[in-house]
Amino acid sequence: MSVLVLAESPKGKLKKAAFEVVHYGFKAAQELGGSCIALVIGSADEVSQLGKYGASKVIHVPEDRGGMDSATYTDMIAQVVERESIHTVVVNHSSTGKAIAGRLSVRLDTGIASQVNTVPQKSDQGITVGRPVFSGKAFAKYLIKGDRRVLSLMGNAMAPQEVGAACPVEEVSLQVPTPRVIIKETKTVDGVVPLPEAELVVSAGRGMKGPENWGIIEELADVIGATTACSRPVADSGWRPHHEHVGQTGVAIRPNLYIAIGISGAIQHLAGVNSSKCIVVINKDPEAPFFKAADYGVCADLFDVVPRLTAAFKKFKAL
Amino acid sequence: MKLLVCISKTPDTTAKIAFKEDNTQFDENGVQFILNPYDEWYALVRALEIKEQLGGSVTVINVGGPSNDVVIRKALAIGADDAVRVNTEAIGSDVVAANIAAYARENDFDIIFSGKETIDFNSSEVGAMIAEHLDLPFISYASHLDHDGTTATIARDIEGGVEVVEVSGSFVLSAAKGLAEQRIPNMRGIMMAKRKPLNVIDPVVVESKMDIVSYSLPPVKEGVKMIDPENMDELVRLLHEEAKVV
Ligand SMILES: Cc1cc2nc3c(=O)[nH]c(=O)nc-3n(C[C@H](O)[C@H](O)[C@H](O)COP(=O)(O)OP(=O)(O)OC[C@H]3O[C@@H](n4cnc5c(N)ncnc54)[C@H](O)[C@@H]3O)c2cc1C
């Protein structure tokens, strides 16, 4: 009995999320028994490298992802689960993982916990595992009954560490049903780390006064290699695209550094960002609620401070 | 088009999150409950728009006890034609999905809408589960939906962009921001909602494979360190040396 993790390879590349889920699977196997087997579906380079983060073996199904849907994925994973006698399946809590996890739990007739951020522990009736609830305002310890389960791993919750060397790769071809969801087009912005995966985020709110002022935000983000985000009213007014909206009703993120500029720190905003490892708040109002959730605060006019912060980072980078 | 919208009741976004019974239960004392925003703002409204475009009916379904009728009436006030409440506590996503799927199986819907997640448990599980129970295609995080009566073209949010997909026949989708614009119920809607059917049915599944053992609140921050606005070098130094994030 082993742990199976789905290591995603968007555009043929294994990314951080894949290393995170493999390393989490490795740790889960230490607790629950067996080893960690990584499943890679679609073309991918250097899949044997997953061994470094704890995979004992990689099962690679080279069929191209084009035309895959959640039912097709579920079918493939379920076949591997039977073949390898798996007790725990882990996917990333990503757009792909979220579309699969619930489906797979019904197919395998198991319990499920989504967005987990702790390593599972054995218990009498099954396992226990932790995850944030109430949009990050609290945590819950879940009991998942039975001897099998499906988990989805929260992004940035498990730092991938090297624990071994490259591992064997088994190329496998699986029978899959014809996909019913046909992918017509994928439109992604290249060269920017998507918000849910970003380690550094520069976010701005209504304090910016208008979309024409975003140059200083973009420059700051550019200098440190951060992804830009915004508060909800900013997205709703069309100052910034919807996908930048973070918070309880937007994207929930957990970067290492979150710089909040001209954002008051309403409870719904904090809900999506307060598990960030370090929060810097720049606001001219000393009473802004965001300061209570911050690690570092600067109380001043953002139009003065942001260019100065950018200059300081430039100086630091040049050292 | 026969459309089904799964709706859920959640604490208001400003609700104080507290626990009771030795941190094993959510404390509902003083908490206002609302329709889950993703269900209300996006799933329900887009379903109503599809009905307005192509004809048909919009049914809302909720799994829960009688106290949920208030939010169900709100969905009727916004424009749903009728409602179904499966009379059992929504103790786990598996129970919710199995009961909704059992109802849907008997009633042949063209599209089943759910929100992308609820704002209390944020699991994103129910839509995918219903789809599997019914062996239907599932499109998660839909932020755009066009339907010509036979084929749906849907944009779903993916990391850093969207994926445009096409699906024919019945399917399940989960609704994300962008799918529709929030509608505020008017007086006429609220009056009509009182007379619309709200059918209470018995559950088929009541036991969950999941249970919450305990809750906890996040650790309180140690307190903010204020930095002199004239000295941004100091902030950068602290981020590097103390926080170790750059
Ligand atoms: C159901 C519901 C869900 C919601 N979900 C979300 C969500 O997911 N995400 C979200 O962000 N919001 C959400 N909101 C909205 C939320 O309640 C707040 O209204 C919103 O976060 C405020 O955005 P803001 O901080 O940009 O604007 P404001 O609250 O207007 O704050 C602007 C801040 O900028 C500061 N400022 C102004 N000028 C300057 C200057 N020159 N220099 C420095 N500082 C300056 C001000 O002091 C102020 O603190 C939700 C609300 C509801 C009801």
Side-chain angles (χ1 to χ4, degrees):
Chain A
M1 297 287 279
S2 288
V3 176
L4 180 71
V5 304
L6 178 68
E8 293 177 37
S9 58
K11 297 187 184 149
K13 291 247 173 336
L14 293 166
K15 291 199 303 184
K16 199 181 82 182
F19 304 133
E20 286 177 359
V21 78
V22 166
H23 194 59
Y24 180 87
F26 167 76
K27 295 231 166 153
Q30 285 182 326
E31 291 295 330
L32 307 177
S35 63
C36 168
I37 300 172
L39 171 64
V40 180
I41 297 174
S43 67
D45 297 337
E46 303 186 38
V47 288
S48 66
Q49 297 306 310
L50 293 173
K52 285 189 182 163
Y53 300 96
S56 62
K57 153 170 112 170
V58 172
I59 297 178
H60 184 203
V61 183
E63 270 99 329
D64 191 62
R65 189 181 174 258
M68 291 288 177
D69 68 14
S70 64
T72 319
Y73 266 101
T74 299
D75 216 76
M76 291 181 158
I77 299 171
Q79 289 179 49
V80 177
V81 166
E82 294 312 328
R83 242 174 68 138
E84 303 286 337
S85 112
I86 296 299
H87 58 68
T88 305
V89 181
V90 193
V91 299
N92 289 114
H93 196 63
S94 60
S95 61
T96 303
K98 281 184 272 204
I100 299 167
R103 206 163 188 142
L104 187 64
S105 73
V106 170
R107 176 76 63 96
L108 301 176
D109 193 24
T110 67
I112 178 171
S114 291
Q115 224 187 138
V116 298
N117 66 349
T118 69
V119 176
Q121 309 287 317
K122 264 190 191 148
S123 99
D124 300 347
Q125 298 175 64
I127 64 148
T128 58
V129 67
R131 53 170 301 228
V133 289
F134 298 104
S135 307
K137 293 175 199 164
F139 296 97
K141 186 169 156 191
Y142 272 66
L143 166 67
I144 311 177
K145 297 170 205 162
D147 42 25
R148 257 188 194 172
R149 73 285 312 178
V150 175
L151 306 176
S152 79
L153 174 67
M154 180 178 182
N156 284 342
M158 164 70 44
Q161 281 163 20
E162 293 203 15
V163 289
C167 67
V169 179
E170 204 181 307
E171 298 267 337
V172 175
S173 161
L174 297 174
Q175 288 290 329
V176 291
T178 318
R180 290 172 289 183
V181 179
I182 311 301
I183 299 173
K184 288 289 177 195
E185 197 185 354
T186 305
K187 299 183 212 165
T188 50
V189 189
D190 280 330
V192 193
V193 186
L195 263 182
E197 296 165 17
E199 290 184 359
L200 306 173
V201 174
V202 174
S203 186
R206 232 163 21 188
M208 293 298 296
K209 308 277 188 289
E212 66 281 4
N213 296 328
W214 243 263
I216 53 170
I217 300 300
E218 278 165 354
E219 197 187 352
L220 172 59
D222 207 41
V223 164
I224 57 173
T227 303
T228 50
C230 68
S231 67
R232 178 174 160 214
V234 163
D236 283 358
S237 319
W239 294 3
R240 300 295 293 174
H242 280 314
H243 65 79
E244 285 199 1
H245 159 193
V246 292
Q248 185 154 14
T249 51
V251 187
I253 55 169
R254 196 177 199 261
N256 289 337
L257 175 61
Y258 184 73
I259 306 183
I261 299 164
I263 302 176
S264 57
I267 186 164
Q268 298 96 348
H269 185 88
L270 295 180
V273 304
N274 63 3
S275 28
S276 306
K277 290 194 186 94
C278 177
I279 296 179
V280 175
V281 168
I282 299 174
N283 198 305
K284 69 176 179 189
D285 174 11
E287 302 296 322
F290 219 146
F291 283 122
K292 290 202 182 67
D295 298 279
Y296 302 104
V298 184
C299 186
D301 192 309
L302 68 91
F303 295 102
D304 295 334
V305 169
V306 173
R308 241 184 275 140
L309 179 59
T310 305
F313 271 123
K314 271 190 188 154
K315 206 161 92 190
F316 165 76
K317 294 270 165 187
L319 288 180
Chain B
M1 285 272 147
K2 256 184 99 176
L3 309 168
L4 182 68
V5 182
C6 309
I7 58 172
S8 170
K9 184 184 83 169
T10 58
D12 177 39
T13 51
T14 55
K16 182 169 162 16
I17 304 300
F19 304 103
K20 59 178 188 182
E21 307 289 331
D22 207 14
N23 287 326
T24 59
Q25 274 178 39
F26 176 57
D27 188 352
E28 298 191 357
N29 204 351
V31 171
Q32 287 272 6
F33 285 90
I34 57 169
L35 258 178
N36 182 45
Y38 294 108
D39 308 346
E40 179 192 328
W41 301 347
Y42 310 126
L44 176 58
V45 176
R46 191 63 191 134
L48 294 170
E49 290 168 352
I50 298 279
K51 175 192 149 179
E52 286 154 11
Q53 178 203 337
L54 299 168
S57 63
V58 175
T59 301
V60 290
I61 186 166
N62 171 261
V63 178
S67 65
N68 287 15
D69 288 352
V70 182
V71 295
I72 297 174
R73 290 281 174 210
K74 176 158 189 209
L76 293 170
I78 293 170
D81 297 292
D82 60 349
V84 174
R85 179 166 60 77
V86 185
N87 193 19
T88 186
E89 286 310 317
I91 48 170
S93 54
D94 50 354
V95 170
V96 172
N99 282 302
I100 293 175
Y103 174 79
R105 191 175 285 122
E106 303 297 313
N107 290 279
D108 274 331
F109 290 96
D110 294 296
I111 312 176
I112 301 176
F113 294 77
S114 73
K116 73 166 190 177
E117 63 181 39
T118 56
I119 59 166
D120 48 6
F121 290 100
N122 318 101
S123 296
S124 264
E125 292 162 3
V126 169
M129 288 175 166
I130 296 170
E132 182 62 21
H133 278 297
L134 300 174
D135 190 24
L136 291 177
F138 173 58
I139 297 95
S140 60
Y141 281 58
S143 53
H144 190 86
L145 161 69
D146 285 327
H147 208 295
D148 66 9
T150 18
T151 304
T153 306
I154 303 166
R156 62 180 283 255
D157 291 349
I158 60 170
E159 288 73 16
V162 294
E163 192 170 75
V164 181
V165 304
E166 223 174 69
V167 60
S168 303
S170 304
F171 62 91
V172 181
L173 74 70
S174 77
K177 185 174 187 181
L179 192 66
E181 295 282 340
Q182 183 180 4
R183 281 189 190 178
I184 311 291
N186 56 25
M187 215 42 219
R188 193 177 122 80
I190 295 167
M191 295 312 291
M192 287 191 19
K194 296 195 176 123
R195 281 178 274 124
K196 288 180 179 172
L198 194 173
N199 302 310
V200 179
I201 62 173
D202 287 329
V204 294
V205 178
V206 294
E207 269 198 60
S208 174
K209 296 188 178 73
M210 287 84 78
D211 197 8
I212 292 179
V213 186
S214 62
Y215 289 99
S216 58
L217 292 169
V220 196
K221 286 257 178 192
E222 276 179 25
V224 55
K225 205 176 250 183
M226 295 306 290
I227 314 290
D228 175 6
E230 302 299 322
N231 195 353
M232 285 299 101
D233 290 333
E234 173 66 0
L235 177 57
V236 173
R237 185 190 70 78
L238 288 168
L239 291 175
H240 178 60
E241 289 175 11
E242 193 176 76
K244 300 191 170 62
V245 288
V246 290

